[in-house]
Amino acid sequence: MLTNQYLLISDVPIMNKWIYFILIVLSFALYGNTIPNDYALDDDNVVNQVYVQQGLAGIPNILTHRYGVQGDKVALDYRPVILSSFAIEYQFFKQSPHVSHFINVVLYALCLLVLYHLLTTLFRLQEIHPWLPFIITLVYAIHPLHTEVVASLKNRDELFGLLFGLLFIKYAFLFFTNTENR
């Protein structure tokens, strides 16, 4: 059973705080150049959708309609979380590709932090070698395969998928290993 779940930043060891800081800076160093970019060709499916452009008022319609609906022609998958994130973003910033790209970089940084946290608290890889979780996270962070995911706004679902998947692994492990509540 894990005794320290790092629920507060004050509970995180000082070395991990530095590693978290380095991972955040690395995310912006690698993908911060996408922030001044404009929308890409495929981003129209999300940013120009009628329900997204209604802001918060469009979220009930987003929850009941399919992703990428453009009249009667196109009806893609059902992705309400992604469209809702763009609707919330539209409510506060209107159509701003720079804010959207910034949010994608922040989401990528969060994914790196959660990945490192998972490698240290759940898998305890630092017991094999103190730098192993950081090196694994670093290799993951700099891999060029992730460029399209961070740079293209329509791929925010990939970022959410990784973030929520890692969080699910962590909390499922905590749930199934917690014997106090059984």
Side-chain angles (χ1 to χ4, degrees), residues 141-167:
I142 64 173
H143 199 285
L145 184 67
H146 304 126
T147 302
E148 182 180 357
V149 173
V150 180
S152 178
L153 300 179
K154 73 168 185 67
N155 289 327
R156 189 175 289 179
D157 57 350
E158 301 289 337
L159 292 169
F160 276 139
L162 176 64
L163 183 62
F164 295 151
L166 291 173
L167 290 172

mmCIF file of all heavy atoms in Angstrom, residues 141-167:
data_model
loop_
_atom_site.group_PDB
_atom_site.id
_atom_site.type_symbol
_atom_site.label_atom_id
_atom_site.label_comp_id
_atom_site.label_asym_id
_atom_site.label_seq_id
_atom_site.Cartn_x
_atom_site.Cartn_y
_atom_site.Cartn_z
ATOM 1 N N ALA A 141 9.156 12.223 -23.498
ATOM 2 C CA ALA A 141 8.887 13.639 -23.774
ATOM 3 C C ALA A 141 9.500 14.102 -25.088
ATOM 4 O O ALA A 141 8.875 14.847 -25.834
ATOM 5 C CB ALA A 141 9.401 14.504 -22.627
ATOM 6 N N ILE A 142 10.710 13.661 -25.369
ATOM 7 C CA ILE A 142 11.411 14.188 -26.551
ATOM 8 C C ILE A 142 11.165 13.373 -27.808
ATOM 9 O O ILE A 142 11.646 13.736 -28.871
ATOM 10 C CB ILE A 142 12.926 14.305 -26.287
ATOM 11 C CG1 ILE A 142 13.558 12.940 -26.047
ATOM 12 C CG2 ILE A 142 13.196 15.236 -25.125
ATOM 13 C CD1 ILE A 142 15.064 12.965 -25.940
ATOM 14 N N HIS A 143 10.412 12.285 -27.693
ATOM 15 C CA HIS A 143 10.170 11.459 -28.873
ATOM 16 C C HIS A 143 9.386 12.266 -29.919
ATOM 17 O O HIS A 143 8.349 12.845 -29.616
ATOM 18 C CB HIS A 143 9.399 10.195 -28.497
ATOM 19 C CG HIS A 143 9.503 9.132 -29.527
ATOM 20 N ND1 HIS A 143 8.818 9.186 -30.720
ATOM 21 C CD2 HIS A 143 10.251 7.998 -29.574
ATOM 22 C CE1 HIS A 143 9.108 8.129 -31.438
ATOM 23 N NE2 HIS A 143 9.974 7.389 -30.770
ATOM 24 N N PRO A 144 9.883 12.305 -31.159
ATOM 25 C CA PRO A 144 9.233 13.136 -32.182
ATOM 26 C C PRO A 144 7.836 12.668 -32.591
ATOM 27 O O PRO A 144 7.101 13.409 -33.229
ATOM 28 C CB PRO A 144 10.196 13.067 -33.372
ATOM 29 C CG PRO A 144 11.046 11.880 -33.125
ATOM 30 C CD PRO A 144 11.097 11.661 -31.643
ATOM 31 N N LEU A 145 7.459 11.472 -32.224
ATOM 32 C CA LEU A 145 6.133 10.960 -32.551
ATOM 33 C C LEU A 145 5.031 11.824 -31.949
ATOM 34 O O LEU A 145 3.924 11.905 -32.481
ATOM 35 C CB LEU A 145 6.007 9.519 -32.054
ATOM 36 C CG LEU A 145 4.723 8.778 -32.377
ATOM 37 C CD1 LEU A 145 4.627 8.546 -33.882
ATOM 38 C CD2 LEU A 145 4.697 7.454 -31.660
ATOM 39 N N HIS A 146 5.325 12.516 -30.857
ATOM 40 C CA HIS A 146 4.318 13.303 -30.161
ATOM 41 C C HIS A 146 4.101 14.689 -30.757
ATOM 42 O O HIS A 146 3.198 15.404 -30.330
ATOM 43 C CB HIS A 146 4.684 13.432 -28.684
ATOM 44 C CG HIS A 146 4.876 12.105 -28.035
ATOM 45 N ND1 HIS A 146 6.013 11.782 -27.346
ATOM 46 C CD2 HIS A 146 4.094 11.004 -28.003
ATOM 47 C CE1 HIS A 146 5.917 10.547 -26.912
ATOM 48 N NE2 HIS A 146 4.758 10.058 -27.304
ATOM 49 N N THR A 147 4.897 15.062 -31.732
ATOM 50 C CA THR A 147 4.795 16.406 -32.303
ATOM 51 C C THR A 147 3.419 16.664 -32.889
ATOM 52 O O THR A 147 2.814 17.703 -32.634
ATOM 53 C CB THR A 147 5.887 16.600 -33.381
ATOM 54 O OG1 THR A 147 7.154 16.389 -32.776
ATOM 55 C CG2 THR A 147 5.817 17.989 -33.971
ATOM 56 N N GLU A 148 2.915 15.734 -33.675
ATOM 57 C CA GLU A 148 1.604 15.949 -34.296
ATOM 58 C C GLU A 148 0.499 16.035 -33.250
ATOM 59 O O GLU A 148 -0.439 16.815 -33.387
ATOM 60 C CB GLU A 148 1.295 14.836 -35.292
ATOM 61 C CG GLU A 148 -0.033 15.042 -35.992
ATOM 62 C CD GLU A 148 -0.356 13.943 -36.977
ATOM 63 O OE1 GLU A 148 0.458 13.030 -37.174
ATOM 64 O OE2 GLU A 148 -1.455 14.009 -37.550
ATOM 65 N N VAL A 149 0.616 15.244 -32.195
ATOM 66 C CA VAL A 149 -0.415 15.238 -31.157
ATOM 67 C C VAL A 149 -0.479 16.590 -30.460
ATOM 68 O O VAL A 149 -1.561 17.112 -30.205
ATOM 69 C CB VAL A 149 -0.145 14.103 -30.141
ATOM 70 C CG1 VAL A 149 -1.095 14.187 -28.968
ATOM 71 C CG2 VAL A 149 -0.263 12.756 -30.821
ATOM 72 N N VAL A 150 0.661 17.185 -30.163
ATOM 73 C CA VAL A 150 0.675 18.460 -29.454
ATOM 74 C C VAL A 150 0.401 19.617 -30.411
ATOM 75 O O VAL A 150 -0.295 20.566 -30.057
ATOM 76 C CB VAL A 150 2.025 18.661 -28.726
ATOM 77 C CG1 VAL A 150 2.043 19.984 -27.986
ATOM 78 C CG2 VAL A 150 2.285 17.524 -27.761
ATOM 79 N N ALA A 151 0.900 19.542 -31.627
ATOM 80 C CA ALA A 151 0.799 20.662 -32.557
ATOM 81 C C ALA A 151 -0.577 20.803 -33.205
ATOM 82 O O ALA A 151 -0.984 21.899 -33.568
ATOM 83 C CB ALA A 151 1.863 20.536 -33.648
ATOM 84 N N SER A 152 -1.307 19.713 -33.353
ATOM 85 C CA SER A 152 -2.614 19.757 -34.000
ATOM 86 C C SER A 152 -3.712 19.787 -32.944
ATOM 87 O O SER A 152 -3.774 18.919 -32.077
ATOM 88 C CB SER A 152 -2.791 18.542 -34.910
ATOM 89 O OG SER A 152 -4.073 18.556 -35.500
ATOM 90 N N LEU A 153 -4.578 20.752 -33.034
ATOM 91 C CA LEU A 153 -5.612 20.924 -32.016
ATOM 92 C C LEU A 153 -6.635 19.803 -32.021
ATOM 93 O O LEU A 153 -7.157 19.433 -30.977
ATOM 94 C CB LEU A 153 -6.306 22.268 -32.203
ATOM 95 C CG LEU A 153 -5.386 23.480 -32.096
ATOM 96 C CD1 LEU A 153 -6.167 24.751 -32.327
ATOM 97 C CD2 LEU A 153 -4.680 23.515 -30.767
ATOM 98 N N LYS A 154 -6.926 19.251 -33.174
ATOM 99 C CA LYS A 154 -7.916 18.178 -33.232
ATOM 100 C C LYS A 154 -7.435 16.929 -32.510
ATOM 101 O O LYS A 154 -8.213 16.053 -32.200
ATOM 102 C CB LYS A 154 -8.276 17.840 -34.667
ATOM 103 C CG LYS A 154 -7.187 17.088 -35.401
ATOM 104 C CD LYS A 154 -7.693 16.536 -36.689
ATOM 105 C CE LYS A 154 -6.664 15.694 -37.370
ATOM 106 N NZ LYS A 154 -6.336 14.456 -36.689
ATOM 107 N N ASN A 155 -6.138 16.853 -32.211
ATOM 108 C CA ASN A 155 -5.585 15.702 -31.501
ATOM 109 C C ASN A 155 -5.582 15.880 -29.988
ATOM 110 O O ASN A 155 -4.930 15.120 -29.281
ATOM 111 C CB ASN A 155 -4.160 15.420 -31.986
ATOM 112 C CG ASN A 155 -4.148 14.861 -33.381
ATOM 113 O OD1 ASN A 155 -5.046 14.137 -33.774
ATOM 114 N ND2 ASN A 155 -3.142 15.210 -34.149
ATOM 115 N N ARG A 156 -6.304 16.844 -29.500
ATOM 116 C CA ARG A 156 -6.406 17.012 -28.052
ATOM 117 C C ARG A 156 -6.997 15.773 -27.400
ATOM 118 O O ARG A 156 -6.716 15.475 -26.246
ATOM 119 C CB ARG A 156 -7.237 18.246 -27.711
ATOM 120 C CG ARG A 156 -7.198 18.588 -26.232
ATOM 121 C CD ARG A 156 -7.917 19.865 -25.917
ATOM 122 N NE ARG A 156 -7.183 21.008 -26.413
ATOM 123 C CZ ARG A 156 -7.609 22.259 -26.289
ATOM 124 N NH1 ARG A 156 -8.756 22.513 -25.690
ATOM 125 N NH2 ARG A 156 -6.902 23.250 -26.770
ATOM 126 N N ASP A 157 -7.795 15.021 -28.142
ATOM 127 C CA ASP A 157 -8.348 13.785 -27.593
ATOM 128 C C ASP A 157 -7.252 12.788 -27.251
ATOM 129 O O ASP A 157 -7.380 12.019 -26.298
ATOM 130 C CB ASP A 157 -9.380 13.172 -28.530
ATOM 131 C CG ASP A 157 -8.859 12.889 -29.923
ATOM 132 O OD1 ASP A 157 -7.740 13.336 -30.256
ATOM 133 O OD2 ASP A 157 -9.566 12.234 -30.699
ATOM 134 N N GLU A 158 -6.147 12.801 -27.987
ATOM 135 C CA GLU A 158 -5.011 11.931 -27.669
ATOM 136 C C GLU A 158 -4.379 12.350 -26.341
ATOM 137 O O GLU A 158 -4.001 11.498 -25.534
ATOM 138 C CB GLU A 158 -3.964 11.987 -28.786
ATOM 139 C CG GLU A 158 -4.473 11.577 -30.144
ATOM 140 C CD GLU A 158 -4.744 10.105 -30.257
ATOM 141 O OE1 GLU A 158 -4.161 9.318 -29.477
ATOM 142 O OE2 GLU A 158 -5.545 9.720 -31.122
ATOM 143 N N LEU A 159 -4.249 13.651 -26.135
ATOM 144 C CA LEU A 159 -3.682 14.144 -24.874
ATOM 145 C C LEU A 159 -4.591 13.787 -23.702
ATOM 146 O O LEU A 159 -4.123 13.323 -22.657
ATOM 147 C CB LEU A 159 -3.470 15.655 -24.941
ATOM 148 C CG LEU A 159 -2.392 16.129 -25.910
ATOM 149 C CD1 LEU A 159 -2.458 17.633 -26.095
ATOM 150 C CD2 LEU A 159 -1.024 15.704 -25.428
ATOM 151 N N PHE A 160 -5.889 14.006 -23.872
ATOM 152 C CA PHE A 160 -6.841 13.632 -22.822
ATOM 153 C C PHE A 160 -6.839 12.122 -22.595
ATOM 154 O O PHE A 160 -6.950 11.655 -21.461
ATOM 155 C CB PHE A 160 -8.254 14.092 -23.163
ATOM 156 C CG PHE A 160 -8.539 15.523 -22.799
ATOM 157 C CD1 PHE A 160 -9.255 16.331 -23.663
ATOM 158 C CD2 PHE A 160 -8.129 16.061 -21.599
ATOM 159 C CE1 PHE A 160 -9.545 17.647 -23.336
ATOM 160 C CE2 PHE A 160 -8.405 17.366 -21.259
ATOM 161 C CZ PHE A 160 -9.119 18.164 -22.129
ATOM 162 N N GLY A 161 -6.736 11.355 -23.673
ATOM 163 C CA GLY A 161 -6.709 9.896 -23.546
ATOM 164 C C GLY A 161 -5.530 9.421 -22.712
ATOM 165 O O GLY A 161 -5.675 8.565 -21.837
ATOM 166 N N LEU A 162 -4.352 9.989 -22.963
ATOM 167 C CA LEU A 162 -3.179 9.617 -22.179
ATOM 168 C C LEU A 162 -3.318 10.078 -20.734
ATOM 169 O O LEU A 162 -3.077 9.301 -19.799
ATOM 170 C CB LEU A 162 -1.902 10.206 -22.790
ATOM 171 C CG LEU A 162 -0.631 9.953 -21.983
ATOM 172 C CD1 LEU A 162 -0.316 8.468 -21.910
ATOM 173 C CD2 LEU A 162 0.533 10.728 -22.562
ATOM 174 N N LEU A 163 -3.724 11.319 -20.545
ATOM 175 C CA LEU A 163 -3.841 11.863 -19.195
ATOM 176 C C LEU A 163 -4.847 11.074 -18.359
ATOM 177 O O LEU A 163 -4.539 10.630 -17.246
ATOM 178 C CB LEU A 163 -4.240 13.340 -19.256
ATOM 179 C CG LEU A 163 -4.335 14.074 -17.928
ATOM 180 C CD1 LEU A 163 -2.995 14.099 -17.221
ATOM 181 C CD2 LEU A 163 -4.842 15.490 -18.168
ATOM 182 N N PHE A 164 -6.032 10.862 -18.900
ATOM 183 C CA PHE A 164 -7.055 10.126 -18.160
ATOM 184 C C PHE A 164 -6.685 8.655 -18.000
ATOM 185 O O PHE A 164 -7.014 8.032 -16.992
ATOM 186 C CB PHE A 164 -8.418 10.272 -18.833
ATOM 187 C CG PHE A 164 -8.949 11.679 -18.829
ATOM 188 C CD1 PHE A 164 -9.788 12.120 -19.842
ATOM 189 C CD2 PHE A 164 -8.613 12.577 -17.837
ATOM 190 C CE1 PHE A 164 -10.289 13.415 -19.843
ATOM 191 C CE2 PHE A 164 -9.104 13.881 -17.826
ATOM 192 C CZ PHE A 164 -9.941 14.298 -18.838
ATOM 193 N N GLY A 165 -6.004 8.072 -18.989
ATOM 194 C CA GLY A 165 -5.574 6.688 -18.877
ATOM 195 C C GLY A 165 -4.553 6.491 -17.763
ATOM 196 O O GLY A 165 -4.639 5.545 -16.985
ATOM 197 N N LEU A 166 -3.575 7.397 -17.687
ATOM 198 C CA LEU A 166 -2.574 7.315 -16.615
ATOM 199 C C LEU A 166 -3.213 7.527 -15.250
ATOM 200 O O LEU A 166 -2.882 6.826 -14.283
ATOM 201 C CB LEU A 166 -1.461 8.335 -16.850
ATOM 202 C CG LEU A 166 -0.543 8.077 -18.048
ATOM 203 C CD1 LEU A 166 0.396 9.253 -18.253
ATOM 204 C CD2 LEU A 166 0.226 6.784 -17.896
ATOM 205 N N LEU A 167 -4.125 8.483 -15.173
ATOM 206 C CA LEU A 167 -4.815 8.715 -13.900
ATOM 207 C C LEU A 167 -5.673 7.517 -13.509
ATOM 208 O O LEU A 167 -5.769 7.160 -12.338
ATOM 209 C CB LEU A 167 -5.655 9.991 -13.966
ATOM 210 C CG LEU A 167 -4.867 11.291 -14.010
ATOM 211 C CD1 LEU A 167 -5.787 12.470 -14.281
ATOM 212 C CD2 LEU A 167 -4.084 11.505 -12.724
#
